[in-house]
Amino acid sequence: RKEVEQDPGPFNVPEGATVAFNCTYSNSASQSFFWYRQDCRKEPKLLMSVYSSGNEDGRFTAQLNRASQYISLLIRDSKLSDSATYLCVVNKGSARQLTFGSGTQLTVLP
Amino acid sequence: DAGVIQSPRHEVTEMGQEVTLRCKPISGHNSLFWYRQTMMRGLELLIYFNNNVPIDDSGMPEDRFSAKMPNASFSTLKIQPSEPRDSAVYFCASSLKPNTEAFFGQGTRLTVV
């Protein structure tokens, strides 16, 4: 089983739609969780950290479910500029470095 | 604020040549990571340093790859000899400390022909 698994997509949604991505992780000792965004031919950029209580940043909501070992990202009222690949990132337990999922590709259509 | 700076941005080299990629982390960051990204394998961690010391190099594919961090503001990733299968985008990233968010450089796109 991969350490971090994501549905690769692609997700093609119309503008204004709500879209959700899930990500599962295998190491129950993982402590830090993030969502990164990567545009085509660019570097990954931090979108948001994921906290146990869940957190929201504008149109973006991230949630963590430790019992089931998954994190989620919800994007409301999607914009054309949200088109990108979204990477789920988990720290590798006691080894402490970050492990990236393979990414979920989102295209928001006009 | 200057982010992570990588050089060169693009590198085209012939098989068998030595390639050196460079990285300057964000000032004050104590952890530095080298990643490689390909379509087939996604983003893979090659090696990570904490306080200039290599902590985990289990992702380094083989002996042809080596990385150094002689001081807190500079790191290199060297491939010698290079092979076509090394063609990828190599990213350097730094973070304040392990387990915190990492900030990426713009990457070096390496093509080995």
Side-chain angles (χ1 to χ4, degrees):
Chain A
R1 182 183 172 187
K2 285 186 181 177
E3 294 178 55
V4 181
E5 290 202 69
Q6 294 183 251
D7 181 344
F11 284 63
N12 298 319
V13 302
E15 252 185 307
T18 295
V19 61
F21 307 135
N22 285 334
C23 163
T24 58
Y25 59 95
S26 60
N27 191 329
S28 59
S30 297
Q31 297 179 351
S32 302
F33 309 90
F34 308 94
W35 283 102
Y36 276 69
R37 168 194 170 127
Q38 186 172 25
D39 293 290
C40 187
R41 300 179 76 85
K42 298 284 190 181
E43 73 275 21
K45 292 185 178 178
L46 177 69
L47 179 65
M48 59 197 304
S49 303
V50 186
Y51 303 118
S52 296
S53 54
N55 48 301
E56 189 173 306
D57 183 1
R59 299 181 292 109
F60 298 83
T61 301
Q63 300 226 310
L64 167 64
N65 185 318
R66 286 189 185 274
S68 301
Q69 293 180 212
Y70 79 81
I71 67 175
S72 64
L73 177 68
L74 182 78
I75 306 175
R76 291 181 299 278
D77 187 24
S78 50
K79 312 289 185 192
L80 296 176
S81 56
D82 294 333
S83 297
T85 297
Y86 290 83
L87 300 161
C88 170
V89 185
V90 177
N91 87 305
K92 198 176 174 183
S94 59
R96 302 192 294 174
Q97 63 264 42
L98 302 179
T99 301
F100 283 73
S102 55
T104 298
Q105 186 179 342
L106 170 68
T107 301
V108 180
L109 304 168
Chain B
D1 286 344
V4 176
I5 300 172
Q6 290 186 247
S7 64
R9 292 288 307 281
H10 302 273
E11 177 80 33
V12 180
T13 191
E14 290 186 345
M15 182 172 64
Q17 296 298 305
E18 177 180 299
V19 176
T20 299
L21 311 181
R22 296 172 177 78
C23 175
K24 176 177 166 55
I26 294 172
S27 177
H29 280 195
N30 295 318
S31 297
L32 182 139
F33 311 85
W34 282 101
Y35 287 89
R36 177 173 69 175
Q37 188 172 39
T38 61
M39 287 293 293
M40 290 296 294
R41 301 174 67 90
L43 204 56
E44 302 174 280
L45 179 66
L46 300 177
I47 186 169
Y48 123 74
F49 294 85
N50 195 44
N51 292 323
N52 312 340
V53 176
I55 302 300
D56 184 353
D57 64 355
S58 59
M60 296 285 261
E62 47 199 273
D63 292 346
R64 297 184 297 107
F65 285 70
S66 62
K68 293 182 179 179
M69 191 164 186
N71 57 62
S73 59
F74 184 66
S75 177
T76 59
L77 178 68
K78 185 178 293 187
I79 309 172
Q80 165 64 19
S82 57
E83 296 182 4
R85 60 194 168 116
D86 301 330
S87 298
V89 181
Y90 290 80
F91 287 107
C92 176
S94 70
S95 67
L96 196 58
K97 52 185 179 178
N99 268 356
T100 60
E101 57 269 28
F103 296 86
F104 283 74
Q106 293 182 298
T108 295
R109 187 171 296 274
L110 173 66
T111 303
V112 183
V113 298

